[in-house]
Amino acid sequence: MFVIATIVATLCYAMLTLLVIRVVFSYISRDAENPIYKITYTVTEPLMAPVRKVVPPNQTANLDLSPAVVAVGFFILIAISNYFS
C-alpha cells in the first residue's frame, strides 16, 4: 500500500507542476509552437475540460477557475495518499 500511495502522490505532484507551468504560460505567452506549452496543454487539458464545463470561465473578469479546481483535487489526492503511506 505504501508504494502505491507514494506513486500516486508523486504523479499528483508532477501534474501540479505541469498545471503551474501551463498557468504561467497562459499569462506570459500562448505560443502554440512552443514544445513546453504543447506538452503541458496536451497533458492537462483532459483534466481541465470537464471542469470547465461545470465551472465556466467568468465572463466579466475573464477568469478561468478550472486550474484552481483541478489543483484542489490533486491536493486532496495527495492528502489521501499521504494518509495511507
Side-chain angles (χ1 to χ4, degrees):
M1 190 66 130
F2 173 76
V3 174
I4 295 172
T6 305
I7 291 171
V8 168
T10 304
L11 289 175
C12 286
Y13 282 123
M15 290 299 293
L16 277 170
T17 304
L18 290 175
L19 192 65
V20 168
I21 291 170
R22 179 179 171 166
V23 169
V24 169
F25 264 94
S26 73
Y27 284 116
I28 295 173
S29 169
R30 293 185 185 179
D31 183 16
E33 298 301 318
N34 190 331
I36 296 172
Y37 182 75
K38 283 182 184 180
I39 291 169
T40 58
Y41 184 85
T42 304
V43 173
T44 58
E45 186 59 26
L47 297 171
M48 291 176 48
V51 174
R52 204 174 287 123
K53 289 179 184 175
V54 176
V55 182
N58 187 353
Q59 298 300 324
T60 308
N62 198 17
L63 183 65
D64 186 14
L65 295 176
S66 59
V69 173
V70 171
V72 168
F74 280 130
F75 284 127
I76 291 170
L77 282 174
I78 289 169
I80 291 170
S81 65
N82 285 339
Y83 176 76
F84 286 111
S85 64

